[in-house]
Amino acid sequence: MQLDKTYSHRLVEAKWYQHWTESGAFKPSKGDGAYFSMVIPPPNVTGSLHMGHALNNTLQDILCRYKRMDGFRVLWIPGTDHAGIATQNVVERRLEAEGLTRSQLGREKFIERVWSWKQEAGDAILHQLRALGVSCDWDHERFTMDEGLSRAVREAFVRLWDDKLLYRAQRLINWCPRCKTALSDIEVVHQESDGNLWHIGYPLAEDPPRELVVATTRPETMLGDTAVAVHPEDERYQNLIGKDIRLPLSGRIVPLIADLFVDREFGTGALKVTPGHDFNDFEIGERFALGRISIFDAEGCVDVGAFLQRGETGEWIERYHGRDRFEARRLIVADLKEKGFLRKIEPHKLSVGHCYRCQTVVEPYLTPQWFVSIKPLAEPAIRAVRSAIGPNAEPPMPRISPSRTSSSIPESAGRPKLTTDRRAWGSLTGSMFASRRVVLNNQARSRRTASRSLRLEITRCIRGSSFLSGSSSVRRSSSAGGMLSVFAVATNITSERSYS
């Protein structure tokens, strides 16, 4: 038999990987062993996998192979994630290169393009996973928008509702007017910008010559003001607290309230309160039962519907209707100056939130949202932590301070911070795992035996992988250090304890 002079991973790896999958090596074994199942964190179908995915999936593969050797019936489920808006943005950029927009293409044609991209990118990702040598059961491959998972989402939603963990309420969310989607806090990228601080005179309703000067970075949102707030200990405004203020331009009458949130040192110490367009103002509005006026539509343009519902009239409504929020700002500042309400403008540095996908300035947007009630989910986790830390606790145990946990979790437990997109599902999953008891397998097993088994598997996983490149020099240079670091992490996790 003639052997090649050099090792070719292209000839060897593909052949043996096909043999493993066809022989059912990655399927749950038959027998009496305990079940062990794991779902691969589904990568987004927005591109190719990178080094982080390679490390992540190698560690998962090590765990699955170790469990098989330990007698477990292992099922590792592969799949990909539709990545909703992120995938839409990728497809839109491809359309832009063709001189098209999704509006020009039409809904049906655009959806076809999205599914076409999913097929193209998804196939590339799955090919990379196979090239890495992961021991997934490919007969169980899933996509987050396939029919089975869609039914599972509906089922989970109904169960949450039946368990009285879901409710719907008007709340502020981070909204991208361009993507037309809600964003979690971590999806908002804050950038320091050069802005202004506009000082505006707010006349007293009963004594118009007298006024309260308010400093704001967003004069356009004054159309939604429902109060003006000062600090209760600010001596400058003690005699004004409780009086009514007449808003410039709209003429709406709002109360002057006192709240500890107000920073006496910022601006003039007087704060315009817009519960429909500022998260801090929303909390003030909750404490004082203030009205909420949403002055913008989903595209970030002034919507007069909220004013008309309140029975408000005036030329100002028509003047600003349909204006983009930044155009509305320009017009409002000009009108304030013309009508004698603008006192001064100061340069001001501020942190502005942007959509991490398209860099559009994020707008706090008032809209009905579904929320998960956190308190009932947090309480079992707190009890689990408290019960785990006791005189009979077997080290090593997670070091979690019950005092810190109890002081932080209940404070936010009743606050509706998670909507029912992936943040809510993540919250539920985290709570289920946190509240489940971690069972430690106390079987006597020497570190030396486990280490020897893992060393063989780690060497096989890392040596000659074609995941990133066909270059043998790349593989050789990364294998030694990579094997040692992965081996250290894996042996520390698996040789001392076993989870079921």
Side-chain angles (χ1 to χ4, degrees):
M1 180 179 178
Q2 183 69 31
L3 295 177
D4 293 334
K5 294 182 179 180
T6 58
Y7 169 77
S8 173
H9 66 82
R10 290 185 176 87
L11 297 177
V12 175
E13 292 181 0
K15 168 189 171 182
W16 283 107
Y17 192 81
Q18 182 179 358
H19 171 72
W20 291 339
T21 54
E22 291 178 352
S23 65
F26 302 151
K27 294 183 177 299
S29 59
K30 297 180 181 180
D32 299 328
Y35 290 105
F36 180 85
S37 63
M38 191 166 64
V39 178
I40 198 170
N44 295 342
V45 290
T46 50
S48 301
L49 303 186
H50 51 66
M51 182 66 79
H53 291 105
L55 174 60
N56 187 323
N57 287 287
T58 297
L59 293 175
Q60 294 175 67
D61 198 25
I62 291 169
L63 181 59
C64 284
R65 291 173 183 268
Y66 175 76
K67 283 294 186 180
R68 289 192 187 98
M69 292 189 295
D70 203 22
F72 284 81
R73 302 167 67 182
V74 175
L75 173 62
W76 186 13
I77 302 174
T80 50
D81 183 15
H82 64 284
I85 302 300
T87 299
Q88 175 182 319
N89 285 338
V90 171
V91 176
E92 286 194 63
R93 284 196 294 269
R94 290 163 69 96
L95 288 176
E96 186 178 348
E98 301 174 22
L100 296 172
T101 66
R102 71 170 187 263
S103 299
Q104 292 172 332
L105 201 61
R107 177 181 174 82
E108 298 302 324
K109 292 292 185 182
F110 182 74
I111 291 176
E112 289 179 10
R113 287 289 193 104
V114 171
W115 279 103
S116 174
W117 166 255
K118 179 267 171 186
Q119 193 67 39
E120 176 184 338
D123 287 350
I125 289 171
L126 298 178
H127 174 76
Q128 285 182 293
L129 288 173
R130 287 183 170 91
L132 182 61
V134 298
S135 56
C136 295
D137 185 349
W138 293 104
D139 289 342
H140 285 81
E141 179 191 334
R142 305 304 295 267
F143 175 58
T144 51
M145 285 191 71
D146 67 29
E147 182 55 33
L149 291 183
S150 295
R151 288 199 308 271
V153 169
R154 292 194 294 270
E155 173 67 19
F157 192 94
V158 171
R159 289 190 185 184
L160 286 170
W161 175 261
D162 290 341
D163 292 340
K164 295 181 170 42
L165 292 173
L166 276 184
Y167 64 96
R168 201 180 194 203
Q170 284 267 352
R171 292 292 186 271
L172 278 185
I173 58 172
N174 299 305
W175 181 258
C176 175
R178 188 257 176 205
C179 296
K180 293 183 178 59
T181 185
L183 303 172
S184 68
D185 291 342
I186 62 173
E187 293 173 321
V188 178
V189 180
H190 290 272
Q191 301 174 5
E192 187 177 85
S193 304
D194 292 323
N196 291 311
L197 201 57
W198 285 271
H199 293 248
I200 305 167
Y202 279 53
L204 270 64
E206 298 177 357
D207 190 6
R210 297 179 63 192
E211 67 178 19
L212 189 67
V213 178
V214 174
T216 179
T217 59
R218 298 198 66 193
E220 67 276 14
T221 62
M222 68 185 302
L223 299 179
D225 288 355
T226 55
V228 175
V230 296
H231 194 282
E233 299 175 1
D234 195 329
E235 297 179 356
R236 295 172 294 177
Y237 306 118
Q238 289 297 309
N239 62 332
L240 297 179
I241 296 174
K243 295 186 179 297
D244 287 335
I245 302 292
R246 185 181 298 276
L247 297 185
L249 304 182
S250 69
R252 183 184 307 133
I253 303 298
V254 301
L256 178 61
I257 60 177
D259 191 89
L260 291 172
F261 171 78
V262 180
D263 183 356
R264 286 175 282 186
E265 305 302 321
F266 180 78
T268 63
L271 173 73
K272 58 186 289 297
V273 182
T274 317
H277 290 280
D278 184 273
F279 290 98
N280 294 319
D281 292 2
F282 183 91
E283 297 295 335
I284 295 175
E286 289 286 278
R287 291 193 286 271
F288 288 86
L290 300 175
R292 307 169 191 155
I293 304 176
S294 184
I295 68 172
F296 297 131
D297 60 19
E299 295 183 350
C301 298
V302 177
D303 182 8
V304 302
F307 311 129
L308 298 178
Q309 288 178 3
R310 295 171 57 89
E312 295 182 324
T313 59
E315 295 181 358
W316 62 276
I317 293 180
E318 186 62 31
R319 175 167 172 76
Y320 305 129
H321 175 56
R323 302 283 187 175
D324 174 79
R325 51 189 169 154
F326 299 111
E327 174 64 14
R329 175 186 295 180
R330 187 188 66 79
L331 289 176
I332 287 173
V333 170
D335 291 345
L336 288 171
K337 184 176 181 180
E338 179 184 345
K339 297 180 183 300
F341 292 111
L342 187 62
R343 298 295 167 258
K344 64 176 179 178
I345 304 175
E346 293 179 331
H348 180 71
K349 293 277 189 183
L350 66 160
S351 179
V352 179
H354 294 74
C355 173
Y356 84 105
R357 300 185 184 105
C358 66
Q359 301 305 308
T360 300
V361 174
V362 171
E363 182 66 39
Y365 188 51
L366 189 63
T367 180
Q369 293 285 318
W370 287 100
F371 293 88
V372 175
S373 181
I374 301 302
K375 188 174 182 180
L377 301 176
E379 289 172 346
I382 296 173
R383 288 196 298 269
V385 171
R386 289 190 182 279
S387 64
I389 302 176
N392 298 322
E394 180 178 332
M397 294 295 292
R399 295 179 178 271
I400 302 176
S401 169
S403 60
R404 291 184 60 187
T405 305
S406 61
S407 65
S408 60
I409 293 181
E411 179 182 354
S412 60
R415 298 176 65 184
K417 291 297 184 184
L418 297 174
T419 56
T420 52
D421 56 6
R422 66 178 176 278
R423 286 168 284 158
W425 305 131
S427 167
L428 176 62
T429 305
S431 300
M432 286 193 296
F433 277 100
S435 60
R436 288 188 62 187
R437 305 178 70 182
V438 177
V439 180
L440 298 180
N441 183 350
N442 295 321
Q443 297 176 351
R445 192 182 312 279
S446 70
R447 178 187 294 269
R448 181 178 303 172
T449 302
S451 298
R452 187 182 303 117
S453 300
L454 283 168
R455 189 187 301 275
L456 293 173
E457 281 303 305
I458 293 167
T459 304
R460 190 212 61 75
C461 287
I462 295 177
R463 184 187 300 153
S465 172
S466 60
F467 175 78
L468 295 174
S469 169
S471 169
S472 59
S473 62
V474 172
R475 296 194 303 276
R476 285 196 299 269
S477 63
S478 62
S479 62
M483 183 177 70
L484 288 175
S485 60
V486 173
F487 176 76
V489 173
T491 51
N492 183 53
I493 293 174
T494 57
S495 62
E496 292 187 316
R497 68 186 96 162
S498 176
Y499 297 92
S500 60

